[in-house]
Amino acid sequence: MAAKKQEKSSPKKRKQIPGNKPETHSSSSKKTKLLDSKPSNPRSTDFKKPSKPFKPREPGLDHEKQVPLSKREGRLRAKELAEARKKKRKRHYNLEQELAHLWEKMRQRNISKEDRSKLVSEALEKMKGKIPEIASSHVSSRVLQTCVKYCSQAEKDAVFEELQPHLLTLACNTYAVHLVTKMLDNASKKQLAAFISSLRGHVASLLRHMVGSVVVEHAYQLGNATQKQELLVELYSTELQLFKDLVSKNEGRLLDIISKLDLQKSSVFRHMTSVIQPILEKGIIDHSIVHRVLIEYFTIAEQFSATDVIKQLSGPLLVRVIHTRDGSKVGMLCVKHGSSKERKKIIKGMKGHVHKIALDQGGSMVLVCLVSTVDDTKLTTKVVINELQENLKDLVLDKNGRRPLLQLLHPNCSRYLTPDDLASLSLSIPSLSNKVEPDNSETKSSKVNKSGEEANSDLELDEADMNHDDGLHSVEGGKKDPAVRRQELLVQSGLAEKLVDVCITSAGELLRSNFGKEVIYEVATGGAGGILHPTLDDKLNELYEAIASLVAEPKSQESEEDSKEEHILENFHSSRTIRKLILDCPTFASTLWNKALKGKCDLWAQGHSGKVIAAFLESSDSKVNQLANKELKKLIDGGILKVPEPKVVTGKKE
């Protein structure tokens, strides 16, 4: 039994039929033996592949006659090719050494212009005919960049002419991209136009390339309005990519182009989606041309596509977008139409960068939108407001940095925000703004207004936002009452108190500053709606006394010679700010009169200071008028003080 089991378990052997031996002289039998034989190296096993035309290796083929060579001829040809490559590498190495030697001389600071031009001409002569190859080399590309920097215009034209057929290839090279951008900086209008036209058909693919996108952005920045439009329309539609002259300069907006050319909106939307998605996935979003395309995409995007783009941008990625004009609009749209989760991601992505964002023109507008929209005041205070407080004085004195502060003190004021800024704050995405449900938002905001406890109101808002997440990202702003949001961000966060302290310690500097004077004016008047008065009256009185003590300082004789030591009543900015405070803040006017100006008006009756003194008579408050009426009437009767006549407003009566 055991023997039978062993026979069953052993592999079956092929039976040999007697008298049926293979023929030894048959060619087919040799092939079968070769196939059946076990190869020594398993990796060299030939797998069955589709039949291809005969293509021998390089050494065994005569390229001129296209016939196979013998073994001996193949070895000789391989040897010749190896020697040729070796000589080429040696020549290239020698050329690099010569160019490096010339580069060390030409980039010295103490060299004369004539000697440098000779070295540059010598180097360009050596590079002639090999410039595209040298431009892509990590060693000698810097030599060529230096030569382009210092060479004559004729030599630059010669280099550009040699590089022009290879510019698209070099634009994607890590080492050559610096040379390409430098050539574009020095290019004539004709050369720049030729390069931009050569980009036709390649703009989308280059924008998906980390290096090539830099060249497209550089050309976009250097081009005029027509050339910018030429680069943009290629990203809108395949029809516009194929036919160059369909779009004129006047048709800048995508919706105008679609209506004028009668394009299918759905096909344009699909094409733009195929262009934008790879760019967003790779994170190549630092360029202004991409920001412009995103703004135009939002005008035609469907609801789910727009929300998908907002989701992809929400977070640290948005910080890289908001530095341009169109990028800041993209950032504001993400804040306005994002859900509560996405707004939290945006705020957390700004952590550590808030000060830098506030000093940027576009970034400051995103912060203005953020403090006017986001209902999660705890997170906004923790990330944004706390970082603003760290360098508060720098922000107050900066043109852009003061904007978020002024927005909290006096929201949407046309004195501090331009018409373009106000228009950008009111932008919205059509496919998302049409879904707003005003009834629900009003009822929820009224609940928030009635509730006194901060924690409960935040919970209600978060639950409401969570219910909207599945729904539609259609909320163009917060549901919380703007007055409650301002109170929490400005007063309860401690920002207002620190702001008053900065104004007290640096009152003179802020009043003399072109930008700081507006912040100190809003703080001194208590903000729009008197938001600072209930809790910070004592601090504001300290500010009034600090300004009055500056006014009480004696008039300096050197004030006309040194503008820094100019008296605060004679300075252009500070005198006008103090005059406005007298007209708009009676408490400040009485403090200033009693502490600094009473009995001294004859010293300040002329010049810029005379307008400050006359403001006591122009004030609408009767108590302020009575304070200075007796003393100032004597100066007016004596012809020392001139009271400006009231301006007559002319216009159509309603």
Side-chain angles (χ1 to χ4, degrees), residues 545-602:
E545 291 177 2
I547 298 173
S549 62
L550 291 172
V551 175
E553 291 179 357
K555 190 174 182 180
S556 175
Q557 296 179 356
E558 300 176 356
S559 60
E560 296 179 0
E561 299 175 2
D562 190 359
S563 60
K564 290 183 180 179
E565 298 296 327
E566 193 174 17
H567 195 275
I568 199 166
L569 287 181
E570 295 181 335
N571 181 269
F572 178 83
H573 297 298
S574 58
S575 61
R576 279 155 176 76
T577 306
I578 294 171
R579 179 180 177 276
K580 282 178 66 180
L581 285 173
I582 293 171
L583 294 172
D584 299 335
C585 186
T587 309
F588 169 78
S590 60
T591 303
L592 182 67
W593 177 262
N594 294 324
K595 189 170 182 179
L597 295 177
K598 189 175 182 180
K600 302 177 183 177
C601 292
D602 54 341

Side-chain angles (χ1 to χ4, degrees), residues 618-633:
E618 299 173 23
S619 176
S620 58
D621 192 275
S622 58
K623 294 181 180 179
V624 175
N625 292 333
Q626 291 175 3
L627 286 173
N629 194 16
K630 293 181 180 179
E631 188 171 344
L632 295 183
K633 272 194 172 182

Side-chain angles (χ1 to χ4, degrees), residues 161-200:
E161 187 177 352
E162 189 171 345
L163 285 175
Q164 192 168 2
H166 310 277
L167 282 175
L168 283 177
T169 308
L170 295 174
C172 297
N173 186 277
T174 309
Y175 306 107
V177 66
H178 306 293
L179 176 67
V180 174
T181 53
K182 190 164 288 188
M183 292 300 299
L184 292 178
D185 287 333
N186 298 319
S188 61
K189 291 183 178 180
K190 187 177 180 181
Q191 290 172 342
L192 181 63
F195 176 74
I196 290 176
S197 62
S198 70
L199 291 176
R200 174 162 289 276

Side-chain angles (χ1 to χ4, degrees), residues 292-425:
R292 183 66 188 170
V293 173
L294 284 172
I295 284 291
E296 296 295 345
Y297 180 73
F298 279 140
T299 59
I300 65 166
E302 296 175 357
Q303 180 187 342
F304 297 109
S305 301
T307 53
D308 186 44
V309 172
I310 291 172
K311 283 180 182 178
Q312 288 178 286
L313 289 174
S314 298
L317 208 61
L318 195 67
V319 179
R320 295 165 48 195
V321 175
I322 58 180
H323 63 278
T324 64
R325 183 180 176 185
D326 291 321
S328 98
K329 292 178 182 178
V330 172
M332 285 186 274
L333 289 174
C334 289
V335 171
K336 289 175 71 174
H337 292 285
S339 65
S340 61
K341 289 182 180 179
E342 287 154 10
R343 288 173 180 173
K344 287 175 183 177
K345 286 181 182 178
I346 291 170
I347 294 172
K348 289 178 180 178
M350 292 180 177
K351 192 173 183 179
H353 307 284
V354 174
H355 181 70
K356 192 178 290 186
I357 292 170
L359 296 176
D360 182 72
Q361 184 176 0
S364 62
M365 287 305 301
V366 176
L367 291 180
V368 167
C369 179
L370 195 143
V371 298
S372 307
T373 305
V374 178
D375 290 334
D376 192 350
T377 53
K378 288 184 178 180
L379 182 62
T380 308
T381 301
K382 184 179 179 181
V383 178
V384 178
I385 303 299
N386 289 349
E387 287 193 32
L388 291 177
Q389 292 179 13
E390 293 175 1
N391 300 289
L392 203 53
K393 185 180 175 182
D394 296 340
L395 297 177
V396 170
L397 293 169
D398 187 77
K399 178 183 178 181
N400 301 316
R402 68 199 171 101
R403 283 177 174 174
L405 306 175
L406 289 170
Q407 179 69 8
L408 290 171
L409 290 166
H410 196 153
N412 299 331
C413 180
S414 58
R415 289 201 304 267
Y416 313 130
L417 297 175
T418 64
D420 290 338
D421 295 335
L422 294 171
S424 61
L425 284 173

Side-chain angles (χ1 to χ4, degrees), residues 2 12 43-44 50 94 126 134 166 175 187 220 222 315 337 447-448 475 485 487 534 545 560-561 598 610-611 624:
K12 294 182 180 180
R43 292 185 180 179
S44 63
N94 292 336
K126 290 180 181 294
I134 290 170
H166 310 277
Y175 306 107
Y220 182 77
L222 293 173
H337 292 285
K447 288 180 183 178
V448 173
V475 183
R485 188 189 299 113
Q487 183 75 20
E545 291 177 2
E560 296 179 0
E561 299 175 2
K598 189 175 182 180
K611 297 178 181 179
V624 175

